[in-house]
Amino acid sequence: MLKAGVLGAGHLGKIHLKLLQQSTKYELVGFYDASKEASEQIETEFGYKSFPSMESLINACDMVVVVTPTSTHFECAEKVLKAGKHLFIEKPITQTVAEAEQIRDLAKEMKVRGQVGQVERFNPAFQAIKDKINNPMFIETHRLAEFNPRGTDVSVVLDLMIHDIDAILSVVKSPVKAVSASGVSVISETPDIANARIEFENGCVANLTASRISLKKMRKARFFQRDAYISVDFLEKKCEVVKMKDAPKEIDDFAMVLTNAEGIKKQIYFENPKIEANNAILDELESFYEAIKADRTPEVSLKQGTEALRVAMLIIENFKKI
């Protein structure tokens, strides 16, 4: 077992504490939070050990989870890595791309592993479908949430859209060529609703919409590729594959067949991949354990977290041009 600790004991920090305690791969050492009052309350209520300083917690651990406000990610991550400890850091990796690159390079220099908490990569619907996404050429995502002041310290792009940016970058094997976007601040000082178009060098286009002022929740992605349409519902944890193949000579009476303008007949096939129920946060933590033990690149590496942030910042920069 690896000794693990948590920096930051807010809403998500408490979830990490609970799951690390449940895990058979980690030994939960405790946590540090800047609020003495909150620390005492959590220690009393849940029994987790509160450390008097960030440094004392880091020194007691093999791996540290950083779940502090984004503005403090760089400071915390730097201390963890310089102490030679493995780093699990929630998204977005840092506030700026320059900071993210420093963290990425420092982990390499210290020969420790780092993973970014992009939990949707471990969503069971995405896990069931990701291997079927092969060279998509058009992608559309919608991530809508009801207003929650907890995430408004950053733009909706870094709060919500970055989940879809990361998922898209994980399946499109081509560099980003161009980004255009628009965003509107309705309640917060930063945009609450945004739309972005990402163009890739291989011709793929992704259209992303994110809002944190919607009346209903939605987290959907659609991938269109040659002879196939793939949909993922991250919220309902459902997925579907619609494939088109050349119709056989003998067509079943119940088969769905389309004929194009050239007279070519295509048969439509529906697939509903089996989805294995899971706890996505526990899975990402334990996959990081496996990466550390096997000394291999984690599923969501610091490099990937940096690239997702880079694209997110290009989107945010586009808002300023409007």
Side-chain angles (χ1 to χ4, degrees), residues 74 93-105 158 302-303 305-314 317:
F74 177 75
I93 179 172
T94 50
Q95 271 196 311
T96 69
V97 174
E99 288 177 345
E101 289 173 339
Q102 285 185 62
I103 293 304
R104 178 199 63 196
D105 295 344
L158 295 178
L302 298 178
K303 180 181 178 182
T306 301
E307 293 312 303
L309 179 63
R310 193 188 310 279
V311 173
M313 295 309 289
L314 287 172
E317 284 167 20

Side-chain angles (χ1 to χ4, degrees), residues 5-244:
V6 177
L7 288 178
H11 173 74
L12 191 52
K14 287 180 193 147
I15 294 173
H16 278 283
L17 283 164
K18 180 182 177 182
L19 294 174
L20 286 168
Q21 190 174 54
Q22 290 176 2
S23 175
T24 57
K25 300 181 186 296
Y26 293 104
E27 176 192 339
L28 177 62
V29 169
F31 73 98
Y32 169 74
D33 191 275
S35 169
K36 189 177 179 182
E37 184 182 347
S39 298
E40 289 173 353
Q41 184 183 346
I42 292 165
E43 194 170 34
T44 302
E45 187 175 348
F46 300 103
Y48 306 132
K49 182 181 177 182
S50 172
F51 279 72
S53 67
M54 192 187 302
E55 290 77 11
S56 60
L57 173 71
I58 293 169
N59 290 336
C61 298
D62 301 312
M63 185 279 279
V64 179
V65 177
V66 174
V67 208
T68 59
T70 304
S71 58
T72 65
H73 275 196
F74 177 75
E75 175 196 353
C76 296
E78 188 178 41
K79 287 184 178 180
V80 171
L81 295 173
K82 283 186 173 178
K85 312 295 183 174
H86 301 290
L87 169 71
F88 183 100
I89 187 165
E90 270 300 337
K91 64 82 191 167
I93 179 172
T94 50
Q95 271 196 311
T96 69
V97 174
E99 288 177 345
E101 289 173 339
Q102 285 185 62
I103 293 304
R104 178 199 63 196
D105 295 344
L106 183 57
K108 188 175 181 181
E109 179 188 329
M110 298 301 296
K111 295 182 172 56
V112 291
R113 293 296 177 183
Q115 179 162 320
V116 181
Q118 291 283 1
V119 69
E120 292 289 40
R121 288 269 211 109
F122 296 83
N123 186 299
F126 187 69
Q127 288 280 312
I129 211 86
K130 64 180 182 179
D131 291 339
K132 298 181 184 295
I133 302 172
N134 178 25
N135 196 30
M137 296 309 291
F138 180 70
I139 302 167
E140 189 170 36
T141 69
H142 288 86
R143 186 167 294 264
L144 314 179
E146 297 162 345
F147 184 73
N148 182 343
R150 189 163 47 83
T152 56
D153 59 320
V154 293
S155 160
V156 69
V157 176
L158 295 178
D159 183 24
L160 298 179
M161 190 183 281
I162 198 163
H163 285 294
D164 298 313
I165 294 169
D166 172 73
I168 289 168
L169 293 181
S170 75
V171 297
V172 179
K173 309 303 181 186
S174 175
V176 172
K177 183 174 78 171
V179 169
S180 57
S182 61
V184 179
S185 301
V186 180
I187 298 174
S188 317
E189 293 299 312
T190 56
D192 296 302
I193 184 165
N195 177 262
R197 175 185 170 93
I198 304 170
E199 297 177 41
F200 294 87
E201 288 185 4
N202 69 350
C204 177
V205 172
N207 189 40
L208 301 84
T209 300
S211 168
R212 57 185 175 202
I213 50 167
S214 297
L215 297 177
K216 65 175 184 176
K217 296 177 182 177
M218 180 190 289
R219 291 171 10 211
K220 291 183 177 179
R222 300 171 181 88
F223 302 85
F224 298 85
Q225 58 196 42
R226 179 72 180 169
D227 295 331
Y229 157 74
I230 298 164
S231 67
V232 184
D233 189 326
F234 292 97
L235 187 62
E236 298 295 331
K237 297 178 174 58
K238 295 177 182 176
C239 57
E240 184 178 52
V241 181
V242 181
K243 286 187 175 179
M244 296 184 70

Side-chain angles (χ1 to χ4, degrees), residues 287-300:
S287 89
F288 185 42
Y289 169 92
E290 298 297 343
I292 293 168
K293 286 296 183 182
D295 194 26
R296 59 174 169 77
T297 303
E299 191 147 345
V300 187

